[in-house]
Amino acid sequence: DAGVIQSPRHEVTEMGQEVTLRCKPISGHNSLFWYRQTMMRGLELLIYFNNNVPIDDSGMPEDRFSAKMPNASFSTLKIQPSEPRDSAVYFCASSLDQAAGAQYFGPGTRLLVL
Amino acid sequence: AQKITQTQPGMFVQEKEAVTLDCTYDTSDQSYGLFWYKQPSSGEMIFLIYQGSYDEQNATEGRYSLNFQKARKSANLVISASQLGDSAMYFCAMRESRRGGNKLTFGTGTQLKVEL
């Protein structure tokens, strides 16, 4: 079975540009999570969806970040405008919403904002 | 207060030996879950093992076992018969059912190096 799919795997952009990260969760999973990982701050939850509805976006850094989940098989995380401090690895993860539901991570998108 | 504490930034172990990676947690919930993830140098996050707060037996998955001591609020990962491929960063995480919904809180990780 396919795992969580993320695209692109690498992104290099210039400050001020819009960046869109994409995620396809594991089929049948009803929760989807966006994380950011940096050396300084570790692994941070940005936002999570349950049944395509945003449940908690308290980790979204600021208005420059937005996330959508138009259907059960697709989500996007958009940064507009991007800044150098947004450089990080962005992970998408999905799970079944149950007590023992482990989150399964995608390979991540390495973002570098110059 | 930190929800998940991993006090060992780095650990070394010889191949074929067992190693314990420490994790303590803080919660007032009665129902919660504890998870361990592995992140090799390639960067992916790999789910290893899960322990529920009501599980009476320690979880095991192959060479991985979770030493769950509820009264001490610890959930240490034990890797038996270490292999070179076990060299990676290991993260402990907790799901608090009441407060956090399906959210996981991660620790800062322990970097494990397996040596010949």
Coordinates of all heavy atoms in Angstrom, one line a residue, chain A residues 31 33 35 37 43 45 48 56 91 95-105, chain B residues 33 35 37 39 41-45 47 50 91 95 97 100-104 106:
Chain A
S31 N -7.5 11.5 9.6 CA -6.8 12.7 10.2 C -5.6 13.0 9.4 O -4.9 12.1 9.0 CB -6.5 12.4 11.7 OG -7.6 12.3 12.5
F33 N -2.1 15.7 9.3 CA -1.3 16.7 10.1 C -0.2 17.3 9.2 O 0.4 16.6 8.4 CB -0.6 15.9 11.3 CG -1.6 15.1 12.1 CD1 -2.0 13.9 11.7 CD2 -2.1 15.6 13.3 CE1 -2.9 13.1 12.4 CE2 -2.9 14.9 14.1 CZ -3.4 13.6 13.6
Y35 N 3.4 19.2 9.9 CA 4.5 19.5 10.9 C 5.6 20.2 10.2 O 5.8 20.1 9.0 CB 5.1 18.2 11.4 CG 4.2 17.4 12.4 CD1 3.4 16.4 11.9 CD2 4.3 17.6 13.7 CE1 2.6 15.6 12.7 CE2 3.5 16.9 14.6 CZ 2.7 15.9 14.1 OH 1.9 15.1 15.0
Q37 N 9.9 20.8 10.9 CA 11.0 20.4 11.7 C 12.2 21.3 11.4 O 12.6 21.4 10.2 CB 11.4 18.9 11.4 CG 12.4 18.4 12.3 CD 12.7 16.9 12.1 OE1 12.7 16.4 11.0 NE2 13.0 16.2 13.2
L43 N 10.4 19.4 16.2 CA 9.2 19.0 15.4 C 8.0 19.7 15.9 O 7.6 19.5 17.1 CB 9.0 17.5 15.5 CG 8.1 16.8 14.4 CD1 8.7 17.0 13.1 CD2 8.0 15.3 14.8
L45 N 3.9 20.9 15.4 CA 2.6 20.7 14.7 C 2.1 22.0 14.3 O 1.9 22.9 15.1 CB 1.6 20.0 15.6 CG 0.2 19.8 15.0 CD1 0.2 18.8 13.9 CD2 -0.8 19.3 16.1
Y48 N -3.9 20.5 12.1 CA -4.4 19.2 11.8 C -5.9 19.2 11.4 O -6.6 20.0 11.9 CB -4.0 18.1 12.8 CG -5.0 17.9 13.9 CD1 -6.0 16.9 13.8 CD2 -4.8 18.5 15.2 CE1 -6.8 16.6 14.9 CE2 -5.7 18.2 16.2 CZ -6.6 17.3 16.1 OH -7.5 17.0 17.2
D56 N -7.4 22.1 14.7 CA -6.5 22.9 15.5 C -5.4 23.5 14.6 O -4.6 22.8 14.1 CB -5.8 22.0 16.6 CG -5.0 22.8 17.6 OD1 -4.6 24.0 17.3 OD2 -4.7 22.3 18.7
F91 N 6.6 18.1 7.1 CA 6.1 16.8 7.0 C 4.6 16.8 7.0 O 4.0 17.6 7.7 CB 6.5 15.9 8.2 CG 8.0 15.5 8.2 CD1 8.9 16.2 9.0 CD2 8.4 14.5 7.4 CE1 10.2 15.8 9.0 CE2 9.7 14.1 7.4 CZ 10.6 14.7 8.2
S95 N -3.5 9.6 9.9 CA -3.8 8.5 10.9 C -5.3 8.3 10.9 O -6.1 9.0 10.4 CB -3.3 8.9 12.3 OG -4.2 9.8 12.9
L96 N -5.6 7.1 11.5 CA -7.0 6.9 11.8 C -7.3 7.5 13.2 O -6.4 7.4 14.1 CB -7.3 5.4 11.9 CG -7.3 4.6 10.6 CD1 -7.4 3.1 10.8 CD2 -8.5 5.1 9.8
D97 N -8.4 8.2 13.3 CA -8.7 8.9 14.6 C -9.2 7.9 15.6 O -10.3 7.7 15.8 CB -9.7 10.0 14.3 CG -9.9 10.8 15.6 OD1 -9.1 10.7 16.5 OD2 -10.9 11.5 15.6
Q98 N -8.2 7.3 16.3 CA -8.6 6.3 17.3 C -7.4 6.3 18.3 O -6.3 6.8 18.0 CB -8.7 4.9 16.8 CG -7.5 4.4 16.0 CD -7.8 3.0 15.4 OE1 -7.5 2.0 16.0 NE2 -8.3 3.0 14.2
A99 N -7.7 5.8 19.5 CA -6.7 5.9 20.6 C -5.3 5.4 20.2 O -4.3 5.9 20.5 CB -7.2 5.2 21.8
A100 N -5.3 4.2 19.5 CA -4.0 3.6 19.1 C -3.6 4.0 17.7 O -2.7 3.4 17.1 CB -4.1 2.1 19.3
G101 N -4.2 5.1 17.2 CA -3.9 5.4 15.8 C -2.6 6.1 15.7 O -2.4 7.3 15.9
A102 N -1.6 5.4 15.2 CA -0.3 6.0 15.0 C -0.4 6.9 13.8 O -1.1 6.7 12.9 CB 0.8 4.9 14.7
Q103 N 0.4 8.0 13.8 CA 0.5 8.9 12.7 C 1.6 8.3 11.8 O 2.7 8.0 12.2 CB 0.9 10.3 13.1 CG -0.3 10.9 13.9 CD 0.0 12.3 14.3 OE1 1.0 13.0 13.8 NE2 -0.7 12.8 15.3
Y104 N 1.3 8.3 10.5 CA 2.3 7.8 9.5 C 2.7 9.0 8.7 O 1.9 9.7 8.1 CB 1.7 6.7 8.6 CG 1.4 5.4 9.4 CD1 0.2 5.2 10.1 CD2 2.4 4.5 9.6 CE1 0.0 4.1 10.9 CE2 2.2 3.3 10.3 CZ 1.0 3.2 11.0 OH 0.8 2.0 11.7
F105 N 4.0 9.2 8.6 CA 4.6 10.4 8.0 C 5.0 10.2 6.6 O 5.4 9.1 6.2 CB 5.9 10.8 8.8 CG 5.6 11.5 10.1 CD1 5.1 10.8 11.2 CD2 5.8 12.8 10.2 CE1 4.8 11.4 12.4 CE2 5.6 13.5 11.4 CZ 5.1 12.8 12.5
Chain B
G33 N -1.8 7.8 25.1 CA -1.0 6.9 24.4 C 0.4 7.4 24.2 O 0.7 8.6 24.1
F35 N 4.1 6.8 22.0 CA 4.6 6.3 20.7 C 6.1 6.6 20.6 O 6.6 7.5 21.2 CB 3.9 7.1 19.5 CG 2.4 7.0 19.5 CD1 1.6 7.8 20.3 CD2 1.8 6.2 18.6 CE1 0.3 7.7 20.3 CE2 0.5 6.1 18.5 CZ -0.3 6.9 19.3
Y37 N 9.1 6.9 17.5 CA 9.4 7.1 16.1 C 10.9 7.1 15.9 O 11.7 7.6 16.8 CB 8.8 8.4 15.6 CG 7.3 8.4 15.4 CD1 6.5 8.6 16.4 CD2 6.8 8.1 14.1 CE1 5.1 8.6 16.2 CE2 5.4 8.1 13.9 CZ 4.6 8.3 15.0 OH 3.2 8.3 14.8
Q39 N 13.9 8.3 13.2 CA 14.2 9.2 12.1 C 15.7 9.0 11.6 O 16.6 9.5 12.2 CB 14.0 10.7 12.4 CG 14.2 11.6 11.2 CD 13.8 13.0 11.4 OE1 14.1 13.6 12.5 NE2 13.2 13.7 10.5
S41 N 19.0 9.2 9.0 CA 19.7 10.3 8.4 C 19.0 10.7 7.1 O 19.1 11.9 6.7 CB 21.2 10.1 8.2 OG 21.3 9.0 7.4
S42 N 18.3 9.8 6.5 CA 17.6 10.1 5.3 C 16.4 11.0 5.5 O 15.8 11.6 4.6 CB 17.1 8.8 4.6 OG 16.4 8.0 5.5
G43 N 15.9 11.1 6.8 CA 14.9 12.1 7.1 C 13.5 11.7 7.4 O 12.7 12.4 8.0
E44 N 13.2 10.5 6.9 CA 11.8 10.1 7.1 C 11.5 9.7 8.6 O 12.4 9.4 9.3 CB 11.4 8.9 6.2 CG 12.1 7.6 6.6 CD 13.4 7.3 5.8 OE1 14.1 8.3 5.6 OE2 13.7 6.2 5.6
M45 N 10.3 9.8 9.0 CA 9.8 9.5 10.3 C 9.1 8.1 10.3 O 8.1 8.0 9.6 CB 8.9 10.6 10.9 CG 9.5 11.9 11.1 SD 10.5 11.9 12.7 CE 9.1 11.9 13.9
F47 N 7.2 5.1 12.3 CA 6.5 4.6 13.5 C 7.1 3.3 14.0 O 7.2 2.3 13.2 CB 5.0 4.5 13.3 CG 4.3 3.8 14.3 CD1 4.2 4.3 15.6 CD2 3.7 2.5 14.1 CE1 3.5 3.6 16.6 CE2 3.0 1.8 15.0 CZ 2.9 2.3 16.3
Y50 N 3.7 1.4 20.0 CA 2.7 2.2 20.7 C 2.4 1.5 22.0 O 2.4 0.2 22.1 CB 1.4 2.2 19.8 CG 0.2 2.6 20.6 CD1 -0.1 3.9 20.9 CD2 -0.7 1.7 21.1 CE1 -1.2 4.3 21.6 CE2 -1.8 2.0 21.8 CZ -2.0 3.4 22.1 OH -3.1 3.7 22.8
F91 N 12.4 9.5 18.6 CA 11.5 10.5 19.2 C 10.4 9.7 20.0 O 9.8 8.8 19.5 CB 10.8 11.4 18.2 CG 11.8 12.4 17.5 CD1 12.3 12.0 16.3 CD2 12.0 13.6 18.1 CE1 13.2 12.9 15.6 CE2 12.9 14.5 17.4 CZ 13.5 14.1 16.2
R95 N 0.1 11.1 23.0 CA -1.3 11.5 22.7 C -2.1 11.6 23.9 O -2.2 10.6 24.6 CB -1.9 10.6 21.6 CG -3.4 10.8 21.4 CD -4.0 9.8 20.5 NE -5.4 10.0 20.5 CZ -6.2 9.7 19.5 NH1 -5.7 9.2 18.4 NH2 -7.5 9.8 19.5
S97 N -5.7 11.9 25.1 CA -7.0 11.7 24.5 C -8.0 12.8 24.8 O -8.7 13.3 24.0 CB -7.6 10.4 24.8 OG -6.8 9.3 24.4
G100 N -6.1 16.7 23.7 CA -5.4 16.9 22.5 C -6.1 16.4 21.3 O -5.5 16.5 20.2
G101 N -7.2 15.7 21.4 CA -7.8 15.0 20.3 C -6.8 14.0 19.8 O -6.4 13.1 20.5
N102 N -6.5 14.2 18.5 CA -5.6 13.2 17.9 C -4.1 13.8 17.8 O -3.3 13.2 17.1 CB -6.1 12.9 16.5 CG -5.6 11.6 16.0 OD1 -5.0 10.8 16.7 ND2 -5.7 11.4 14.7
K103 N -3.9 14.8 18.6 CA -2.5 15.4 18.5 C -1.5 14.6 19.2 O -1.8 14.1 20.2 CB -2.6 16.8 19.1 CG -3.4 17.8 18.3 CD -3.6 19.1 19.0 CE -2.3 19.8 19.5 NZ -2.6 21.1 20.1
L104 N -0.3 14.7 18.7 CA 0.9 14.1 19.4 C 1.8 15.2 19.8 O 2.0 16.2 19.0 CB 1.7 13.1 18.4 CG 1.0 11.8 18.0 CD1 2.0 11.0 17.2 CD2 0.5 11.1 19.2
F106 N 5.7 15.7 20.7 CA 7.0 15.0 20.6 C 8.0 15.6 21.5 O 8.1 16.7 21.9 CB 7.5 15.2 19.1 CG 6.8 14.3 18.1 CD1 5.6 14.8 17.6 CD2 7.3 13.1 17.7 CE1 4.9 14.0 16.7 CE2 6.6 12.3 16.8 CZ 5.4 12.8 16.3

